[in-house]
Amino acid sequence: MNIRNVVLSVFGLLLINMSAFAQINVLNAKTPEEIGQKTEEQLAYDNDKPLPYGYIGDRDVLWSKSTWEIIDLDERVNFPLYYPIDTNNIGAERRSLYDVLIKNIKNGKIEHVYADSYFTEKRTLNDIDASLVYSDTTDFGISQFNAGEAIDPQYIRKFTLDAADIEEWRIRGYWFLDKRSGDIKYRLLGIAPVANEARAKAFPDESSDAKVELFWIWFPATRQILHEAKAFNRKNTSRPISYDHLLNSRRFNAVIYKEDNDLGDREVKEYINDNALMQLLESDRIKEVIRNIEIDMWNY
């Protein structure tokens, strides 16, 4: 009977922890403003830095393959990358991955922003504003303009993409066989939000479902920023997981849509048309080839 009571008590505590989001310093805060703030002693004790990558020499790489994957934000396992989308009634310590990246692009902390996944053309905030923000002048504003008058700001509608508009993330990664450790390793190289452009919010009836890659981020240069930003941990709310850890440990579900090949890195849909099932099977086949590289290494 005593064991039963202990089990029920532990289970009740777990339910409480799962239902309430435990915030930083919530137990020691004297005022609500102190919640989420660490003291200098706590910061020094934490020594909170992302786990550094180990050095890999080129001679130690026996085999490698680049893959491009889609992270569908409609899948429940990927929700930590999507939510929260409404930040009005939630603490400042919780932001979606899109909000974290956009905020740091605007304040200049993220400088390595590119137009594509090959990181050949660098972009600035002004370059990507065309996709993120759309301004539309109403008929009254056009009439003012035609009359040679200054357009009243109330006649200019502005539409901005936010976290709720992001439909998926695309990532580019590098799988390689490390000769020294004798196993397959993965290194995330880039990540990109995918959504309809801001113009689609102004004309929802006219716009088609034409999702675009808004920009690509060089991931290794943003690890410290993503380490400081925390995602929701549904298994233990007292230990939020950083976006850096979440992405590096591949705690998401993704589908491969492209691999490096001799045909110009063509996508799966380019050689398997109008058959979603066969495209998924092809994605699984590519994953299986990567897994078998490590297994075959130890077969004699």
Side-chain angles (χ1 to χ4, degrees), residues 47-99:
N47 190 22
D48 205 13
K49 296 180 181 179
L51 185 66
Y53 291 144
Y55 176 76
I56 303 294
D58 291 337
R59 294 184 177 181
D60 297 330
V61 178
L62 293 179
W63 171 91
S64 66
K65 176 177 284 293
S66 290
T67 58
W68 288 256
E69 299 173 87
I70 293 175
I71 303 175
D72 189 352
L73 295 180
D74 284 335
E75 296 185 37
R76 186 176 181 83
V77 69
N78 298 329
F79 281 178
L81 296 172
Y82 181 65
Y83 290 99
I85 56 176
D86 184 4
T87 59
N88 293 325
N89 300 315
I90 203 165
E93 74 283 349
R94 287 187 60 190
R95 289 293 181 267
S96 70
L97 178 58
Y98 178 76
D99 286 335

Side-chain angles (χ1 to χ4, degrees), residues 25-210:
N25 203 37
V26 68
L27 299 178
N28 300 317
K30 296 181 175 59
T31 63
E33 289 74 16
E34 294 181 2
I35 296 178
Q37 298 180 1
K38 290 187 177 182
T39 63
E40 295 182 1
E41 292 77 9
Q42 288 175 317
L43 292 173
Y45 176 77
D46 288 344
N47 190 22
D48 205 13
K49 296 180 181 179
L51 185 66
Y53 291 144
Y55 176 76
I56 303 294
D58 291 337
R59 294 184 177 181
D60 297 330
V61 178
L62 293 179
W63 171 91
S64 66
K65 176 177 284 293
S66 290
T67 58
W68 288 256
E69 299 173 87
I70 293 175
I71 303 175
D72 189 352
L73 295 180
D74 284 335
E75 296 185 37
R76 186 176 181 83
V77 69
N78 298 329
F79 281 178
L81 296 172
Y82 181 65
Y83 290 99
I85 56 176
D86 184 4
T87 59
N88 293 325
N89 300 315
I90 203 165
E93 74 283 349
R94 287 187 60 190
R95 289 293 181 267
S96 70
L97 178 58
Y98 178 76
D99 286 335
V100 170
L101 293 179
I102 286 295
K103 174 186 175 181
N104 287 279
I105 290 175
K106 290 181 177 179
N107 63 24
K109 291 185 178 179
I110 295 181
E111 300 176 354
H112 298 278
V113 184
Y114 296 86
D116 54 45
S117 60
Y118 295 97
F119 313 107
T120 55
E121 181 184 349
K122 215 166 185 181
R123 306 290 295 275
T124 64
L125 182 60
N126 292 332
D127 296 332
I128 63 177
D129 259 349
S131 297
L132 304 181
V133 181
Y134 178 77
S135 297
D136 181 41
T137 305
T138 64
D139 293 337
F140 290 104
I142 295 175
S143 298
Q144 287 182 328
F145 179 78
N146 293 334
E149 302 174 1
I151 301 177
D152 194 319
Q154 66 176 326
Y155 299 138
I156 299 177
R157 301 185 304 165
K158 183 172 288 188
F159 301 88
T160 305
L161 291 182
D162 51 36
D165 300 313
I166 306 303
E167 299 185 21
E168 61 189 41
W169 288 91
R170 294 183 185 176
I171 59 174
R172 179 187 175 186
Y174 189 76
W175 296 91
F176 62 96
L177 180 60
D178 187 358
K179 179 175 65 175
R180 291 183 179 273
S181 60
D183 59 356
I184 288 286
K185 294 182 179 179
Y186 179 77
R187 188 70 58 87
L188 183 59
L189 299 180
I191 184 168
V194 178
N196 289 321
E197 293 184 329
R199 189 181 187 280
K201 300 181 72 172
F203 306 101
D205 297 332
E206 300 178 7
S207 61
S208 59
D209 187 16

Side-chain angles (χ1 to χ4, degrees), residues 292 294-300:
N292 289 339
E294 182 179 6
I295 297 173
D296 294 343
M297 179 181 179
W298 300 105
N299 289 335
Y300 298 96

